[in-house]
Amino acid sequence: MNRVQWFVLGAGLIIFGWYLMNFGELSCADLNDFETSITACFVRRYAYTIPAMVSYVLGFLSVILGFLEFKKNEK
């Protein structure tokens, strides 16, 4: 892959992680004290935030790899 592809992949993963993080951080305070509702809220939270954190890490790693990629001199 070349530099531009690494940067696009990194930016896409970071934006995707931000998108998932927004869905994972919805408030559970609106729910009643029903145990199933609270359980569903925690499952949703972890189902979105763990892939979001993985996406952030891979996104920043891709950006770093983009900076480490050699520039190709095209004439």
Side-chain angles (χ1 to χ4, degrees):
M1 289 177 47
N2 60 20
R3 289 175 65 103
V4 176
Q5 290 171 334
W6 282 114
F7 290 138
V8 169
L9 177 65
L13 284 171
I14 291 170
I15 291 170
F16 182 65
W18 173 78
Y19 182 74
L20 287 176
M21 193 65 77
N22 281 339
F23 282 120
E25 292 182 350
L26 294 175
S27 176
C28 295
D30 297 337
L31 298 174
N32 295 330
D33 289 332
F34 298 117
E35 188 171 327
T36 57
S37 298
I38 292 174
T39 303
C41 184
F42 283 115
V43 167
R44 184 193 69 221
R45 180 180 294 169
Y46 290 118
Y48 283 115
T49 55
I50 291 173
M53 290 186 287
V54 170
S55 180
Y56 279 143
V57 169
L58 290 176
F60 285 118
L61 183 65
S62 297
V63 170
I64 290 170
L65 288 173
F67 282 118
L68 294 176
E69 184 78 28
F70 292 114
K71 287 184 180 179
K72 295 180 181 177
N73 293 330
E74 296 182 18
K75 293 182 180 181

